[in-house]
């Protein structure tokens, strides 16, 4: 079957259709198993023995004269560290941060008993950094901060303030500060996020995480960038990763032009070192797409997301979780076009993301529920455009979103923004299905309370919800109540529509 040649790198709906066809085919066959996972039963059987070896090596370190008199202490220590690092790597591969955290705490306790040996302090800094990473993976960024500060002090004493290892710890500390601030604002604990491929050479440094954009986070990242540019050169691969982090941080604080500039520079460095077809480019492409979207260049945003998605499909396969993450970024961009054609494509994209996450993580995982929320929101939009009452599934949108709200409550606090997003989608679904105005108003009031608590009384999303409530009051003939809702946020409405 002959197909027309398309301009490479240019976003078209035909190119997206072709890619979605490949993803659906991938979903119908078993996902490719990495070579390491193929040996999973054997490694699982050996794992307890490896843990036992690590335990006895620790005893040997603490009592070396009586346990292993013929073995040099340094050799015993190096063996202990190699076994411990291998165990932690296995736990990370199987996504078991709790087990890795427990193991690293045992290693830290062993180091504390060996504190008289001053030459081990640099190795102690490495243990502290790894332990802090497991704390972030568990969603405890606030507990990671003191560990990283202690590691930073040790490294500065032994390596100097301008050593590359100091810069890497500064990056981890900055991201922990940002995540901790975001967690306290949301009222929930969130784990480490970002793209970090298993075979990506840039994975030696922490994956990019979205912090709060606080001044402390930006200050630490700028210091790390200055150190690496001085010590390794402005075009080193590690510099690109710090540019990734710094770009996301300044973007969160609203500096979108600077974000685009930093991420464009990071992309150029990575392409120079890794080539144009490497997984290490994906996170930069997605972040750069976000910057272009915030600046209003949706065409460029779609091109970058399609390039990232194509790379992931070719290098990871159609059922990789990273593919679902990029699909989740692409669907809202298509939805924003507000046309029936692109909204239908957005629904297909959201469905693929949900299918991948359901297959990999199960129905009740937090990431699967996020994909379900996106799919329901897009489906409501699509059906409003078509004037259709029910989903292509057998149930209604409203009942499906009601179940989703209950499921989200198991993962988030009652005041989390995702709860408000699900409630707003349910209110629109109720209106689509001609439900009573009182039930729609109850749902909108719940969403409004969450939005005011999280965003403040004069945020634009609050104004949108107030407008929706005013429309419902108009439907039931309560004109005075409608005007009360419009008057509750005068600053927001004046900003949106002017004083008249």
């Amino acid at each position: 079957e002959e197909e027309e040649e398309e301009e490479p790198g240019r976003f078209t709906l035909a190119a997206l259709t072709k890619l979605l066809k490949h993803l659906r085919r991938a979903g119908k066959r078993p996902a490719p198993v990495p070579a390491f996972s193929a040996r999973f039963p054997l490694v699982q059987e050996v794992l307890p023995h490896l843990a036992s070896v690590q335990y006895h090596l620790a005893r040997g370190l603490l009592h070396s004269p009586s346990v292993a008199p013929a073995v040099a202490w340094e050799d015993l220590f190096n063996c202990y560290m190699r076994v411990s690092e291998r165990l932690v790597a296995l736990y990370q591969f199987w996504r078991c941060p709790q087990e890795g955290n427990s193991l690293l705490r045992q290693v830290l306790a062993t180091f504390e008993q060996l504190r008289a040996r001053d030459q081990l302090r640099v190795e102690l800094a490495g243990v502290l950094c790894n332990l802090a990473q497991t704390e972030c993976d568990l969603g405890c960024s606030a507990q990671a901060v003191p560990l990283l500060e202690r590691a930073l002090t040790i490294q500065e004493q032994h390596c100097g303030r301008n050593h590359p290892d100091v810069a890497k710890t500064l990056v981890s500390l900055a991201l922990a500060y940002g995540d901790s601030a975001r967690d306290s604002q949301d009222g929930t604990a969130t784990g480490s996020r970002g793209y970090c491929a298993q075979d990506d050479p840039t994975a030696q440094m922490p994956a990019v995480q979205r912090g709060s954009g606080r001044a402390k986070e930006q200050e630490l990242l700028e210091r790390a960038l200055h150190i690496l540019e001085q010590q390794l050169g402005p075009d080193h691969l590690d510099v690109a990763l710090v540019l990734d982090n710094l770009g996301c941080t300044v973007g969160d604080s609203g500096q979108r032009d600077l974000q685009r500039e930093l991420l464009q520079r990071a992309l150029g460095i990575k392409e120079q070192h890794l080539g144009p077809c490497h997984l290490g480019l994906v996170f930069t492409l997605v972040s750069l797409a976000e910057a272009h979207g915030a600046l209003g260049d949706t065409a460029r945003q779609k091109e970058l997301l399609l390039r990232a998605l194509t790379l992931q499909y070719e290098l990871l396969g159609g059922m990789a979780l990273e593919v679902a993450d990029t699909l989740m970024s692409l669907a809202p961009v298509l939805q924003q076009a507000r046309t029936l054609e692109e909204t239908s494509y957005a629904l297909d994209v959201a469905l693929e993301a949900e299918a991948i996450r359901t297959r990999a993580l199960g129905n009740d995982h937090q990431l699967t529920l996020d994909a379900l929320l996106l799919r329901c929101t897009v489906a409501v939009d699509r059906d409003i455009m078509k004037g259709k009452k029910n989903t292509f599934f057998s149930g209604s949108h409203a009942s499906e979103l009601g179940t989703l709200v209950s499921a989200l409550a198991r993962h988030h606090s009652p005041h989390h923004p995702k709860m408000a997003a699900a409630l707003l989608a349910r209110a629109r679904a109720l209106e689509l299905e001609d439900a009573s105005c009182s039930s729609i108003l109850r749902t909108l009031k719940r969403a409004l309370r969450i939005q005011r608590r999280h965003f403040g009384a004069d945020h634009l999303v609050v104004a949108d919800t107030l407008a929706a409530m005013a429309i419902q009051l108009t439907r039931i003939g309560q004109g005075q109540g409608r005007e009360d809702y419009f008057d509750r946020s005068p600053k927001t409405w004046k900003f949106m529509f002017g004083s008249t």
Side-chain angles (χ1 to χ4, degrees):
E1 192 176 323
E2 295 183 2
E3 298 181 0
E4 295 182 6
E5 290 292 330
E6 295 172 5
E7 183 182 343
R10 183 168 170 268
F11 177 85
T12 62
L13 292 177
L16 180 59
T17 303
K18 184 177 178 181
L19 187 57
L20 286 173
K21 189 187 300 181
H22 289 310
L23 291 175
R24 291 192 189 99
R25 288 174 183 167
K28 293 177 182 177
R29 58 177 182 263
V33 180
F36 184 81
S37 295
R39 300 193 298 272
F40 179 83
L42 176 61
V43 177
Q44 193 176 33
E45 182 179 341
V46 172
L47 192 61
H49 301 288
L50 195 58
S52 177
V53 169
Q54 192 257 1
Y55 168 75
H56 287 292
L57 285 171
R59 291 190 60 192
L61 283 174
L62 298 174
H63 311 286
S64 54
S66 58
V67 176
V71 180
W73 194 92
E74 290 77 7
D75 293 339
L76 194 63
F77 172 78
N78 291 333
C79 186
Y80 171 74
M81 289 303 299
R82 283 199 300 272
V83 173
S84 300
E85 288 167 1
R86 178 52 53 196
L87 278 168
V88 171
L90 290 171
Y91 288 134
Q92 288 177 343
F93 183 86
W94 289 321
R95 300 180 187 272
C96 301
Q98 185 62 61
E99 289 78 359
N101 184 274
S102 301
L103 175 65
L104 283 167
R105 289 202 173 275
Q106 294 173 17
V107 175
L108 183 60
T110 302
F111 267 86
E112 295 292 348
Q113 297 180 59
L114 298 170
R115 65 175 61 189
R117 297 180 181 269
D118 202 40
Q119 70 270 23
L120 299 182
R121 290 182 62 78
V122 176
E123 285 81 359
L124 173 59
V127 173
L128 290 167
C129 289
N130 289 331
L131 180 58
Q133 184 59 48
T134 62
E135 293 288 356
C136 290
D137 292 340
L138 290 168
C140 305
S141 299
Q143 296 181 25
V145 170
L147 296 170
L148 289 166
E149 288 177 337
R150 184 181 171 192
L152 183 63
T153 302
I154 294 171
Q155 288 175 330
E156 287 179 337
Q157 288 175 353
H158 285 259
C159 306
R161 289 178 56 84
N162 294 323
H163 194 276
D165 288 344
V166 171
K168 295 177 183 181
T169 305
L170 284 168
V171 173
S172 299
L173 182 58
L175 300 177
Y177 268 119
D179 279 352
S180 179
R182 187 190 68 247
D183 293 345
S184 61
Q185 180 183 0
D186 291 350
T188 57
T190 57
S192 173
R193 291 185 291 170
Y195 170 74
C196 183
Q198 182 188 351
D199 297 322
D200 187 351
T202 63
Q204 58 185 316
M205 292 180 63
V208 176
Q209 305 171 15
R210 301 302 175 89
S212 66
R214 298 281 178 88
K216 182 70 173 177
E217 184 181 8
Q218 186 170 342
E219 176 190 343
L220 292 171
L221 287 171
E222 287 173 347
R223 182 186 162 196
L225 180 62
H226 178 70
I227 292 172
L228 290 177
E229 286 179 331
Q230 267 193 336
Q231 300 296 322
L232 305 178
D235 295 327
H236 195 275
L237 199 56
D238 286 350
V239 172
L241 192 58
V242 180
L243 289 168
D244 275 342
N245 285 280
L246 185 57
C248 291
T249 300
V250 299
D252 288 340
S253 63
Q255 303 174 64
R256 296 297 185 178
D257 287 310
L258 179 57
Q259 179 189 20
R260 179 179 60 183
E261 179 185 338
L262 292 170
L263 291 170
Q264 192 66 53
R265 182 185 164 196
L267 182 62
I269 295 172
K270 286 187 176 183
E271 287 178 333
Q272 177 185 346
H273 286 272
L274 306 174
C277 300
H278 194 280
L279 283 176
L281 276 60
V282 171
F283 189 87
T284 310
L285 289 168
V286 174
S287 301
L288 186 58
E290 180 187 344
H292 279 284
L295 292 170
D297 190 356
T298 54
R300 180 61 175 158
Q301 184 181 18
K302 293 174 186 176
E303 290 175 11
L304 291 166
L305 288 172
L306 186 62
R307 181 183 171 190
L309 196 57
T310 305
L311 276 176
Q312 289 175 319
Y313 171 73
E314 291 175 351
L315 299 174
L316 296 174
M319 296 305 292
L321 281 171
E322 292 84 355
V323 173
D325 295 340
T326 308
L327 289 169
M328 291 284 291
S329 299
L330 178 60
V333 180
L334 296 170
Q335 186 185 8
Q336 288 171 8
R338 299 298 178 191
T339 65
L340 180 58
E341 183 182 23
E342 293 215 21
T343 303
S344 298
Y345 274 100
L347 182 57
D348 290 340
V349 168
L351 274 168
E352 289 303 318
E354 184 187 1
I356 292 170
R357 288 186 172 180
T358 302
R359 181 178 181 184
L361 304 171
N363 291 317
D364 196 47
H365 194 278
Q366 180 178 334
L367 293 177
T368 306
L369 295 177
D370 291 346
L372 176 59
L373 173 59
L374 176 62
R375 192 259 294 166
C376 289
T377 305
V378 178
V380 169
D381 274 358
R382 195 278 309 266
D383 287 356
I384 286 175
M385 292 178 184
K386 296 179 71 173
K388 185 179 177 182
K389 301 296 181 183
N390 294 328
T391 66
F392 49 88
F393 301 104
S394 57
S396 70
H397 289 303
S399 61
E400 192 172 20
L401 283 161
T403 305
L404 176 60
V405 169
S406 301
L408 286 172
R410 295 194 292 270
H411 295 274
H412 301 288
S413 74
H415 308 293
H416 196 278
K418 287 180 183 177
M419 299 290 290
L423 288 166
L424 288 172
R426 186 167 190 268
R428 298 184 70 221
L430 288 169
E431 186 176 4
L432 176 67
E433 296 169 11
D434 297 327
S436 66
C437 291
S438 59
S439 63
I440 298 174
L441 277 171
R442 281 197 304 272
T443 306
L444 289 172
K445 285 178 181 178
R446 285 182 62 189
L448 183 65
R449 284 195 295 270
I450 297 170
Q451 288 176 328
R452 279 180 168 164
R453 175 168 178 162
H454 186 78
F455 299 109
D458 292 321
H459 198 277
L460 294 180
V461 297
V462 174
D464 289 340
T465 306
L466 287 168
M469 296 175 73
I471 292 169
Q472 295 304 317
L473 289 170
T474 303
R475 287 178 60 190
I476 59 178
Q478 295 185 15
Q480 181 60 43
R482 176 198 64 183
E483 297 193 4
D484 289 344
Y485 277 108
F486 274 108
D487 291 340
R488 288 185 187 182
S489 189
K491 293 180 183 177
T492 304
W493 288 109
K494 188 176 292 186
F495 173 77
M496 292 178 68
F497 302 115
S499 58
T500 59

